[in-house]
Amino acid sequence: MFSQFRDYISDNSVLVDSKAEEAKLKEISPHLLLAGENVVFAFAGRGGKGRDHHYLTDRRLLVQDVTGLTGKQVKYRSYPFKNVKAWSVSTAGGGFDSDSELEIWCSGIKKIEIEFSKDKVDLFAIQQYLNGKILPKEQTYSVTVPADCEPGGKFQCTVGTQTMQVACPLHNGPGDRIAVTVPSTNPGSYSAPDAHQTKEKASSVANFMHWLGSNATQVDPAELESRLKSSPAVLAGDERVEMAFQCGRDFLVLSSHRLLIVDPRGITGKKVKYMSVLWKCIRAFMVETAGTFDSDSELKLWTNISGMAVIEQDLRRGQCDVLAVQRFFSDKLLGMDAKPYTPGADAAHGQQDQGASVFAWLGDDSRQIDASQANQQFHANPPILQGSELCEMAFKGRRDLILFTTKRIVRIDVQGWTGRKKSYLSIPWGTVKSFGVKSAGSFLDKDSEMMIWTDIMFVMGPPTDDCGRPRQSAALGDLAGGVAGMMLEAALDLDGGGDAGGDDGPPPPPPRHA
């Protein structure tokens, strides 16, 4: 009796008969559901006594919102699965925390939240269903060409969960990493569990939490993958954990299908949030090496998801190869394929760097340098660029560098007195939506500028222009925080004093191995 009263007061939803609810929707209007559309999950609010309902069909999330005293006014809101950018499921905690939760982020709207009655909804059945409906239908993996395979030949390897014959492209050879795309095998099906299964799942969550507490430093991706497929079943059947990082009780899991954040909450850690972010929603990334007196490196990701602009993770020095992390995100977000050279790019090939003038140094204005030298350096030491990537233009300020490659903009920020601490910010060209250039003025205005605008979301709402209108702009430079939120602000100032002499021909192609 108390649990029913609690569910009613807290507006916790419970699972109800999906077929009966589907029949009710068709009775209300034959146009609410599409032809052939079926309700798979149906939830009624206030412990089953409420007027509001949530439906997970085989195509969308459908929300029935009854308003007014009479209940005659009803809103039906539809959120197609193809527009979902991220979602999370949270288990119930202990004590008075009686509800589990589902949160969904879609394009252009605020977060959708559904609270469920504890032990009356199989949360991980919902997770598996959303895996099948939201995760990409194809997955791309990076594989290494074996030493005995020649260009144009074939070799056998395991890709995801499948063992298959892979053809080596003619322009690749032994030791090269190539991209292989395979279809996903996760069906996203659902079968209703019985009470015994629900208790077993609750026990498996407790076992998983015990395992979290017993490993405070290093995480084996294979072991974590095994546990996240069974206790509890969070990952898809064909999903592979490729990298995993732990900070306290929290985990950042980089899988073949998504970025997964495991966030235990509360003193006991019984309440666990599993946040899934699609790879396509990560719009920029940065790795930062540790400094002289700084024991941690850092990984920072920017998304186009409202309310989830930045994802940050500290990486302990000596226990994580930060450049391997950078290489992972490069392959995952930029692809392994080669991009064509831009004919109009001035690489300043052969130009000798004469250094900055006093005024350019004071203004931190950038000057153009030989892109072929930058291309050679950042393919080798440190290996920031991919083997299939080419640096087309390069600019240098006091100590910092900005590279325009065939795949992205890279900003290298040298920090501290010693310069040992460096951050490498990557902005894929697909993130850039518009750009502008501004010429230098007269008298004291000696620098020209370039600005870019991206689709990266902001933390606390967009900045405004002088007329108070939203200004969704970003200019390359440092990252501004506060009210402006996650914007790429400041400008790349181009020193107008240099003369790009020398050979204007294109730089040599990059080495085949990153």
Side-chain angles (χ1 to χ4, degrees), residues 165-180:
Q165 289 284 329
V166 175
C168 177
L170 292 174
H171 58 274
N172 290 107
D176 285 347
R177 288 178 295 139
I178 63 174
V180 178

Side-chain angles (χ1 to χ4, degrees), residues 7-24:
D7 291 339
Y8 185 88
I9 295 299
S10 302
D11 195 14
N12 293 336
S13 295
V14 299
L15 187 68
V16 293
D17 190 326
S18 59
K19 295 302 181 183
E21 293 297 324
E22 180 180 327
K24 289 180 183 179

Side-chain angles (χ1 to χ4, degrees), residues 119-148:
D119 298 332
K120 295 182 181 178
V121 172
D122 186 348
L123 197 64
F124 294 103
I126 298 174
Q127 169 75 10
Q128 286 299 324
Y129 184 73
L130 294 179
N131 283 346
K133 293 300 179 184
I134 299 174
L135 293 178
K137 303 306 179 187
E138 292 183 334
Q139 302 298 330
T140 300
Y141 297 85
S142 172
V143 299
T144 301
V145 179
D148 59 350

Side-chain angles (χ1 to χ4, degrees), residues 89-97 99-100 118-119 123-124 201-210 212 232 249 262-274:
V89 294
S90 301
T91 61
F96 295 101
D97 186 3
D99 53 3
S100 53
K118 183 178 181 179
D119 298 332
L123 197 64
F124 294 103
K201 289 178 182 293
S203 176
S204 68
V205 174
N207 292 336
F208 178 63
M209 289 308 304
H210 177 73
L212 290 184
R249 298 185 303 180
V262 182
D263 180 16
R265 299 183 171 186
I267 297 176
T268 63
K270 288 184 177 180
K271 188 175 187 70
V272 186
K273 183 175 184 177
Y274 302 87

